[in-house]
Each structure stands twice: as C-alpha cells, then as structure tokens.
Amino acid sequence: MAEKLSYTELYRKLYQYYGPQEWWPSTSDFQMLISAILVQRTNWKNVELALTNLGEDIKAGELIQMEEAVLAEKIRPSGFYRMKAKKIKAWLHWFQKYSFHIKEVQKVDQAVLRKELLAIHGIGEETADAMMLYAFDKPGFIADNYAMRLFDRIGYCLPKTYHAFKTEVEKTFPHDLEMHQEFHALIVEHGKQYCKKTPLCENCPLVSVCRMGSEKTNALI
DNA sequence: ATCCCGCCAG
DNA sequence: CTGGCTGGAT
C-alpha cells in the first residue's frame, strides 16, 4: 500500500475521477440556503420535491409571511417537516436582520457569522458550514458523516469531534473557496457511489490508497 | 426493513 | 449519550 495521501492529494484523486461537481445543486443562493435545512437527515430527491412545492423562484419575503403550518405542508416530502418549518422560520428571522440580502451577510467576518448561524435554532455545525461555503463565500471544511467515514477508512487518524476534525483538515488544505466547495461535493458524491455505509471497494477509485480497500483486496488473495 | 448531505432536548 | 423528529425510494 502506498504512503498516506495528503488531503490535497486526496482531493486531486477525487477530482480526477468524478470531475468538477459545481455545487451546491440548486438554482439560486436563496434556494441553497433553504435546502441546507431541508436536506438534514434526508435524501436530496425529497428536498427537490419540497423545493418544487415551494416554487422555483420563492423569495425570503414571501416565505417569512407564510403560515408555519402551510410551509410545513409544502415541505412535507423532505421529512421532519414540522421541525424544519420551524427551523426555516427561525433562520428567516435571522436573515431579515440583513434585509434578506446575501451580499450583506457576505460582508460579515467569518467567525462572527458562524457564531450567529449556530445561535439559530436548527442550525448546527454542518448546516452552518454548508451555508457559509456555498452561499456566503466563506471557505471551510465540512466534517460531515461522509467525510468521517471516508477519512476513517482511508486510515487518517480521526479527531473525535466535528470541530476538531474540521480544524485538523483546514490546517493543511488550501484556504480556497472553490477548492473547499469541490472537496465537500466530491466527498459526498464518493460517499454515495462507493464509500457507503457498507462500502463497495470493488472498482472504487481509491482502493489503492485506502486502508479498508487494501484489507479487502488482501483478504481475497 | 433500511437508508437518506442533522439537530435538539432530556 | 439516547431518543425523537418524518417522508419517500429501494
């Protein structure tokens, strides 16, 4: 088995195999932000159904005036719909402080913005980081389940908490917005295609550099 | 029956 | 740390 890859080398391997992902897969920054909440513990297809129900060109001003129960019904396909309706409302009230202008939010200091987002009911670290990365132009590593599973299997030593994992990767990975955007997208894509809960190591583009992949290969010999 | 790009309350 | 939240695809 080869030497352990740097995070940047891992990024390049994934990029070579999957190509540019150009995330987040939504039609506007506002949709991206809403869908970051809708997608919590839910598959993306169900998020698309919910987005369609909301209307493709939905605006923050309309959403904040919608009855919470009505909003809940519209986003029903995304699951946890009553909770998510509350979360979206809470987030909208925060967004209203910036007059619903994404550009205004982008001016806020990264650390300050992250704290503000985490203070909103229903916004945890992963959702906050996704919003910052794909709508507010703040680069950072998203230490989600896909990333943890992949990094664990590859054989990187794994920090215990989300935050420790995130800062560990950010120490050596370039502080570049587009690279972080692609990195997260590529990790998710890889997690869906090969590095699933029960991994499909056969034909995986990372077998040669993955501890788990090598073990499986060796076991077959 | 299991799995989805989580988060919060207890 | 655990349970609850919830629908839709497979």
Side-chain angles (χ1 to χ4, degrees), chain A residues 110-118 125 129 132 162:
Chain A
Q110 177 155 1
V112 174
L113 177 56
R114 193 166 196 271
K115 278 184 188 163
E116 285 195 17
L117 288 170
L118 290 176
E125 295 196 276
D129 287 338
M132 297 210 296
Y162 180 100

Side-chain angles (χ1 to χ4, degrees), chain A residues 12-206:
Chain A
R12 297 206 188 292
K13 285 232 168 227
L14 290 170
Y15 192 92
Q16 270 176 32
Y17 185 82
Y18 294 101
Q21 302 299 298
E22 290 165 17
W23 267 27
W24 185 284
S26 52
T27 54
S28 70
D29 284 341
F30 181 65
Q31 274 209 16
M32 181 277 144
L33 291 160
I34 296 300
S35 60
I37 294 171
L38 293 176
V39 80
Q40 289 172 3
R41 196 64 195 185
T42 305
N43 66 44
W44 182 255
K45 292 219 161 147
N46 288 349
V47 174
E48 288 182 324
L49 295 175
L51 288 176
T52 303
N53 290 344
L54 286 176
E56 289 301 322
D57 55 351
I58 187 76
K59 299 288 188 295
E62 308 167 33
L63 255 195
I64 201 169
Q65 288 177 49
M66 193 180 290
E67 287 290 330
E68 194 173 303
V70 176
L71 173 57
E73 276 311 307
K74 289 190 189 267
I75 64 172
R76 181 185 263 266
S78 73
F80 306 108
Y81 59 99
R82 282 187 289 258
M83 291 291 224
K84 285 176 181 175
K86 259 190 224 315
K87 294 175 179 185
I88 288 171
K89 283 285 188 177
W91 177 81
L92 283 167
H93 282 291
W94 167 82
F95 193 33
Q96 193 170 31
K97 291 192 305 183
Y98 296 92
S99 312
F100 303 133
H101 289 336
I102 288 172
K103 297 252 183 209
E104 292 305 307
V105 181
Q106 289 172 341
K107 293 178 184 168
V108 180
D109 169 79
Q110 177 155 1
V112 174
L113 177 56
R114 193 166 196 271
K115 278 184 188 163
E116 285 195 17
L117 288 170
L118 290 176
I120 302 167
H121 178 88
I123 310 297
E125 295 196 276
E126 183 177 341
T127 307
D129 287 338
M131 288 179 168
M132 297 210 296
L133 182 57
Y134 293 104
F136 299 137
D137 295 351
K138 311 292 186 195
F141 183 72
I142 300 182
D144 67 349
N145 289 335
Y146 284 125
M148 275 195 220
R149 199 161 67 201
L150 172 62
F151 284 40
D152 185 30
R153 285 173 178 169
I154 284 182
Y156 295 133
C157 80
L158 253 201
K160 303 264 186 297
T161 67
Y162 180 100
H163 196 72
F165 183 19
K166 172 185 172 64
T167 50
E168 167 67 23
V169 174
E170 289 176 357
K171 264 193 245 169
T172 54
F173 194 80
H175 300 287
D176 180 87
L177 182 64
E178 283 187 36
M179 278 183 77
H180 271 297
Q181 288 176 335
E182 284 297 327
F183 199 23
H184 174 65
L186 288 164
I187 288 168
V188 173
E189 189 56 29
H190 183 64
K192 287 182 178 175
Q193 289 200 31
Y194 293 100
C195 210
K196 306 170 164 225
K197 211 163 189 181
T198 53
L200 305 175
C201 298
E202 201 183 350
N203 302 324
C204 171
L206 300 178

